[in-house]
Amino acid sequence: MTQAIRTSRGDRLRSAAAGLSAAVVAVGLAELVAAVVEPSASPFAVIGSGLIDLAPSWAKDTAIALFGTGDKAALITGIAVVLVAVAALAGILESWRSGVGSVILGGLGALAVVAAMVRPGSGPFAWLPGLVAGLVGVIALRLLTRRLRPIAGLAPDREDRRRFLLWTAGTAAAGLIALAVGNAARGVTRSIDAVRDALALPKAAAPAAAVPPAAELGIPGLAPVVTPNADFYRIDTALIVPRLDPADWSLRIHGMVDREVTITWTELLALPMQESYVTLACVSNEVGGSLIGNARWLGYPVRELLARAGVHADADMVLSTSIDGFTASTPVEALTDDRDALLAIGMNGEPLPIEHGFPVRMVVPGLYGYVSATKWVTELEVTRFDRAQAYWTPRGWSDHGPIKLQSRIDVPRGGRAVTPGDTVIAGMAWQQHVGIAGVEVRVDGGPWRRAELTTAISADTWVQWSMPWVAETGSHTIECRAVSVDGDTQIEQQAPPAPDGAQGWHRVDVTVN
Ligand SMILES: Nc1nc2c(c(=O)[nH]1)N[C@H]1C(S)=C(S)[C@@H](COP(=O)(O)O)O[C@H]1N2
Ligand SMILES: [Mo]
């Protein structure tokens, strides 16, 4: 039914409010149902995850560049803003022509159903929250806009409008309450935290050697050589962090192997664990960036498990898969050579934090995280680079990702003012599994001078360096470059993170006054 009565600005606002409050109650109830029935099928999260997977890589690079590890909050905010706009529009369209707005809200619900069902590891009721969202949205929109229509040929009067407002506000409030109850319910189902808290890690059969005291300079502003878990960077495609109960976890090794091997949590825990310091780095880390951290990992060598399965001679890649569908392509060699690629369960003496892969993840010295460090890992498929592709490969990133030789100036911070006189320049350098032989620093394009390198924990970790500096009043440019144990010097030419890691000298500009 169309209405011939002219629409005023007020009418449009009211229609938009109807659309908005229909969307709020739809989302609220759907999130509540999701929290109780199928937490991983939250419409917000599945649509966000779908967007993450569909997004072109430039969009992701931009998001990481702009928001860093806050990229997920930015995405959720973005979805909410779009939803508000679309819901308001649906409200206006619905009162213009009955059914049009309903189709839009119903369509959003259908989108949530599809997005939930195509998620890897989606549960049997993944479709339910989206369905609830669609139905509730359509019904609420119809009921609310009906109140705006002329009754018996009379345009709504002041009293009708007052009642409309009450209903609209009430509907939105119901939605917000449902959202809050859903969040609380989710908190209760967060029992995996409790399982994790109660876990006692096995002692390492081969403990890591103590960090040499000389490895840590303790200079304020310089990254500590071991990164506390709470400060460790987090990068992944998981909008909802997978919450895996170790009791339900298992790892299946299959593909080009003599025999399939499946290992459960209890079986894994019974194996002799070893511990090592490994510096993890993200390929998206810009020159001078902070997407890098060093931890003491406790785990079982992947090599031993692959040996049990018997890797075929013509296999050259292991595709590790996470419970959430993320995959990484790691050369068989990096998992079987003398470096200790670990199936890790512990990080700095604790069970893995949930967002860092609890209960089990991969840690491979020398490779960027996207080709090696699969969190929440549940599957290792032994295959070949010419047969299988990992998550980031079709998105424009290299299928191999050895870490590039890099160094960074932490002190003084770029853009900060420095007081004149005796001070220190200090930073970090790394090329995991190769090792750092030296770092050179130059000020204002002058001669390169050797910085003092601390004792590295191992070739698999980053290392601190420092150099005394007498700061003279004025503006200065400080640059650094690392030299590897292999004899390579970090090259000057800048390269962006894509496709296989940023490169170039780190440079900071400081003012001394
Ligand atoms: N399941 C899963 N594992 C993942 C990723 C992911 O998106 N999903 N990202 C990888 C990338 S790109 C990096 S750099 C490291 C980061 O590990 P962290 O978050 O523990 O620092 O995890 C890797 N493992
Ligand atoms: Mo990464």
Side-chain angles (χ1 to χ4, degrees):
M1 160 177 105
T2 42
Q3 55 189 111
I5 296 169
R6 80 190 165 83
T7 54
S8 69
R9 203 188 142 101
D11 291 336
R12 276 199 301 276
L13 267 179
R14 276 184 285 276
S15 308
L20 204 58
S21 96
V24 170
V25 77
V27 167
L29 286 176
E31 292 291 338
L32 175 58
V33 168
V36 174
V37 180
E38 191 81 66
S40 65
S42 136
F44 246 83
V46 293
I47 288 182
S49 306
L51 286 176
I52 291 177
D53 289 348
L54 292 176
S57 45
W58 61 261
K60 266 179 274 205
D61 303 346
T62 313
I64 291 182
L66 280 178
F67 306 111
T69 48
D71 56 344
K72 293 189 181 70
L75 176 65
I76 293 284
T77 312
I79 296 175
V81 169
V82 170
L83 182 64
V84 165
V86 171
L89 185 71
I92 293 171
L93 291 177
E94 180 72 20
S95 44
W96 165 66
R97 190 158 288 184
S98 169
V100 178
S102 310
V103 167
I104 294 179
L105 289 194
L108 286 180
L111 192 70
V113 170
V114 174
M117 294 186 66
V118 301
R119 280 274 92 204
S122 65
F125 292 105
W127 48 273
L128 190 58
L131 185 72
V132 169
L135 283 180
V136 172
V138 169
I139 294 171
L141 182 64
R142 301 213 131 205
L143 290 179
L144 289 174
T145 34
R146 188 180 292 169
R147 303 197 152 262
L148 287 174
R149 296 247 166 68
I151 299 152
L154 292 172
D157 61 16
R158 184 182 287 263
E159 176 55 21
D160 292 334
R161 285 186 186 141
R162 200 186 61 85
R163 249 184 262 142
F164 164 79
L165 268 186
L166 274 178
W167 274 101
T168 307
T171 305
L176 292 177
I177 291 171
L179 206 58
V181 173
N183 261 335
R186 216 183 271 273
V188 174
T189 61
R190 271 192 194 147
S191 56
I192 297 301
D193 295 75
V195 172
R196 179 182 174 276
D197 290 346
L199 256 180
L201 286 181
K203 268 213 158 26
V211 176
E216 178 59 69
L217 291 169
I219 296 172
L222 176 63
V225 74
V226 179
T227 317
N229 289 356
D231 301 338
F232 209 94
Y233 82 96
R234 173 190 164 203
I235 288 287
D236 53 58
T237 61
L239 208 47
I240 285 207
V241 177
R243 295 181 166 271
L244 264 156
D245 189 331
D248 300 331
W249 177 89
S250 68
L251 178 80
R252 188 165 82 95
I253 304 174
H254 63 107
M256 299 170 72
V257 291
D258 295 338
R259 57 205 93 75
E260 255 194 54
V261 170
T262 299
I263 182 164
T264 65
W265 174 251
T266 330
E267 288 163 350
L268 178 63
L269 246 58
L271 296 171
M273 293 284 154
Q274 77 180 53
E275 215 177 22
S276 47
Y277 286 92
V278 175
T279 300
L280 222 64
C282 183
V283 69
S284 297
N285 198 28
E286 302 276 355
V287 171
S290 56
L291 300 179
I292 177 167
N294 184 41
R296 177 164 46 95
W297 306 97
L298 175 75
Y300 186 68
V302 180
R303 179 179 63 232
E304 305 290 340
L305 290 176
L306 289 178
R308 268 197 211 186
V311 173
H312 291 178
D314 52 340
D316 62 3
M317 185 243 266
V318 171
L319 190 72
S320 51
T321 304
S322 158
I323 187 83
D324 68 355
F326 169 88
T327 51
S329 53
T330 313
V332 164
E333 211 197 323
L335 299 176
T336 50
D337 64 14
D338 65 340
R339 87 187 74 190
D340 290 316
L342 293 181
L343 202 55
I345 59 169
M347 183 177 184
N348 289 329
E350 283 178 33
L352 292 177
I354 292 176
E355 63 275 21
H356 292 292
F358 182 78
V360 184
R361 76 174 302 169
M362 301 253 292
V363 172
V364 185
L367 303 181
Y368 286 121
Y370 82 110
V371 288
S372 67
T374 304
K375 306 192 267 190
W376 316 289
V377 65
T378 55
E379 218 181 289
L380 301 183
E381 186 194 350
V382 180
T383 177
R384 297 180 49 85
F385 278 97
D386 58 15
R387 280 188 203 167
Q389 279 196 325
Y391 184 89
W392 287 107
T393 312
R395 293 171 170 85
W397 296 80
S398 169
D399 56 1
H400 283 67
I403 291 175
K404 292 183 177 174
L405 176 59
Q406 275 287 337
S407 57
R408 180 179 91 187
I409 300 159
D410 284 6
V411 180
R413 282 256 174 271
R416 286 289 165 78
V418 176
T419 37
D422 282 333
T423 177
V424 68
I425 301 170
M428 314 298 293
W430 61 91
Q431 186 174 30
Q432 288 90 302
H433 208 59
V434 175
I436 298 297
V439 171
E440 296 174 326
V441 176
R442 70 173 182 185
V443 179
D444 300 329
W448 288 102
R449 288 195 293 138
R450 279 241 143 184
E452 192 160 333
L453 201 63
T454 62
T455 320
I457 299 175
S458 79
D460 294 337
T461 67
W462 61 3
V463 57
Q464 296 182 343
W465 56 265
S466 70
M467 200 180 81
W469 181 42
V470 186
E472 282 168 22
T473 310
S475 299
H476 300 286
T477 298
I478 309 169
E479 291 166 296
C480 71
R481 65 179 188 195
V483 179
S484 78
V485 166
D486 281 352
D488 297 327
T489 300
Q490 187 182 331
I491 60 173
E492 174 176 18
Q493 201 193 2
Q494 300 279 327
D500 60 0
Q503 102 195 344
W505 295 338
H506 187 212
R507 174 189 161 138
V508 297
D509 295 309
V510 293
T511 311
V512 179
N513 55 26

